[in-house]
Amino acid sequence: MVEAQVEPPYPPDYEVRALREIATELGKKDWNYNENPCNNKSSWFTPPPPPNVLEAINNSTVTCNCSFPNGECHIDGMLTRTLTKWVYCSFTRH
């Protein structure tokens, strides 16, 4: 039996542009803007390390909410670690 994996839809362009602006401010250059930031398997997601393994120095995790009507995905948070600091942003929709 083969299990089909469905790629989530891309978030709106304005949300990705906001991430690009944040990355510029932080000096982040490891996000691939040609990939879907909501797929949890690209440069936008750093899986947690196995037990007893140190966390990666460069961490990038963008979270999305894909439970909107019509299957829309929206970026709802970002956690990133650079060499010097952790940054967490929570995006809320009004």
Side-chain angles (χ1 to χ4, degrees):
M1 179 177 225
V2 176
E3 203 175 300
Q5 300 266 331
V6 177
E7 180 82 12
Y10 274 71
D13 287 340
Y14 65 88
E15 292 179 5
V16 177
R17 281 194 309 269
L19 287 176
R20 190 182 295 261
E21 289 178 26
I22 292 167
T24 299
E25 288 292 320
L26 295 174
K28 285 190 65 55
K29 299 180 192 311
D30 58 340
W31 280 339
N32 182 347
Y33 295 96
N34 295 317
E35 294 181 329
N36 184 348
C38 293
N39 71 7
N40 286 343
K41 60 183 175 189
S42 66
S43 67
W44 299 94
F45 180 76
T46 302
N52 301 321
V53 174
L54 293 176
E55 194 159 358
I57 289 175
N58 292 316
N59 182 313
S60 298
T61 300
V62 172
T63 58
C64 295
N65 181 345
C66 296
S67 64
F68 287 88
N70 300 321
E72 293 176 15
C73 283
H74 292 278
I75 297 168
D76 67 358
M78 176 202 85
L79 174 67
T80 186
R81 180 179 179 192
T82 64
L83 288 174
T84 57
K85 60 187 161 192
W86 281 96
V87 177
Y88 176 75
C89 294
S90 177
F91 299 83
T92 56
R93 299 180 51 81
H94 299 282

